[in-house]
Amino acid sequence: MKDRKPLKRRQNLLTTMGVADVDWKDATLLRKFISDRGKIRSRRVTGLTPQQQRQVATAIKNAREMALLPYPSQGR
């Protein structure tokens, strides 16, 4: 247990960019929060607050409906 490194907290990308509200039309911003397979990244990975994570998830889902972002691909 002594060999464990302390976890480095990920910077909150939304606050560093100065984004107050997440918009579903901003596909370039939303692409930073999805993986290469199209899945939404977790809070642990992105470093967002719970409110921001919900906003991002909702915006990504709306952008998927409008065909701006891909749905998760089938991993076979």
Side-chain angles (χ1 to χ4, degrees):
M1 289 291 179
K2 292 181 181 181
D3 296 340
R4 293 182 88 179
K5 295 180 184 177
L7 292 177
K8 180 181 173 187
R9 293 301 272 171
R10 178 131 168 110
Q11 288 290 327
N12 189 331
L13 187 63
L14 293 180
T15 54
T16 56
M17 293 180 70
V19 177
D21 290 328
V22 181
D23 190 21
W24 63 268
K25 292 172 266 188
D26 192 2
T28 55
L29 175 69
L30 295 177
R31 284 189 188 276
K32 297 178 181 178
F33 297 105
I34 62 173
S35 69
D36 56 342
R37 294 181 176 242
K39 293 185 176 183
I40 300 173
R41 295 190 189 270
S42 67
R43 275 189 60 222
R44 189 176 38 171
V45 175
T46 60
L48 298 176
T49 64
Q51 288 177 322
Q52 289 172 333
Q53 182 70 19
R54 281 193 295 274
Q55 279 184 345
V56 166
T58 304
I60 288 173
K61 291 173 186 176
N62 288 339
R64 284 176 178 163
E65 283 288 319
M66 297 299 171
L68 297 176
L69 293 175
Y71 281 96
S73 61
Q74 297 292 329
R76 289 187 179 166

